[in-house]
Amino acid sequence: MQHNSKSIRPFIGANNYEVSRQFYRDLGFEEVVLFPNMSLFQNESIGFYLQDAYVKDWIDNTMVFMEVEDVNNFYNQIAALDLPSKYPTVRLLPVKKHDWGSVCYLHDPSGILWHIGTFNK
């Protein structure tokens, strides 16, 4: 089967929608408000939908992997933003090397776990 896909956009929720909206703008995503309770956040060719919806089990089990060109550079840029000082529940974990590549982890204000990584070539 040939998909000819152009993008994939997961839907994620937020414990505090306004705080999460600001967090993702601080992270460098452009927000496109679609409805009062849902926005598209995008950066270059990727995007995701943020909803004003909170189901604890859903949020606690949501993980998103974002591939970047250089995870070390990306980590340094995120660290320079010092997001944990602005958002008390945000955590940024340093880059770890694995057989397949390198990854750092970022917990958003609601607890969604972002894996930000670069694959070995």
Side-chain angles (χ1 to χ4, degrees):
M1 177 176 3
Q2 190 174 26
H3 289 273
N4 297 324
S5 302
K6 293 185 178 184
S7 73
I8 189 166
R9 297 179 181 171
F11 288 78
I12 63 173
N15 186 24
N16 183 318
Y17 184 60
E18 295 306 320
V19 168
S20 290
R21 288 175 67 206
Q22 185 59 54
F23 171 80
Y24 286 112
R25 289 190 301 258
D26 288 349
L27 206 53
F29 287 96
E30 176 187 331
E31 180 182 18
V32 178
V33 176
L34 303 173
F35 305 102
N37 61 348
M38 188 168 78
S39 290
L40 167 65
F41 283 85
Q42 54 191 5
N43 188 341
E44 299 169 7
S45 63
I46 65 166
F48 61 93
Y49 297 104
L50 180 69
Q51 303 174 93
D52 187 7
Y54 181 74
V55 176
K56 184 173 177 22
D57 287 344
W58 172 42
I59 298 296
D60 287 349
N61 289 289
T62 297
M63 293 186 284
V64 179
F65 186 96
M66 181 171 72
E67 182 182 1
V68 296
E69 193 70 31
D70 180 346
V71 70
N72 292 301
N73 182 48
F74 195 86
Y75 173 83
N76 291 333
Q77 289 179 39
I78 295 173
L81 295 174
D82 194 22
L83 294 172
S85 70
K86 185 173 182 182
Y87 305 96
T89 58
V90 167
R91 290 187 301 151
L92 175 62
L93 302 174
V95 175
K96 290 186 177 187
K97 293 185 187 272
H98 299 279
D99 292 341
W100 55 265
S102 299
V103 64
C104 69
Y105 301 97
L106 177 67
H107 295 259
D108 86 349
S110 299
I112 291 174
L113 177 58
W114 284 77
H115 300 240
I116 301 153
T118 301
F119 294 106
N120 292 336
K121 298 190 185 247

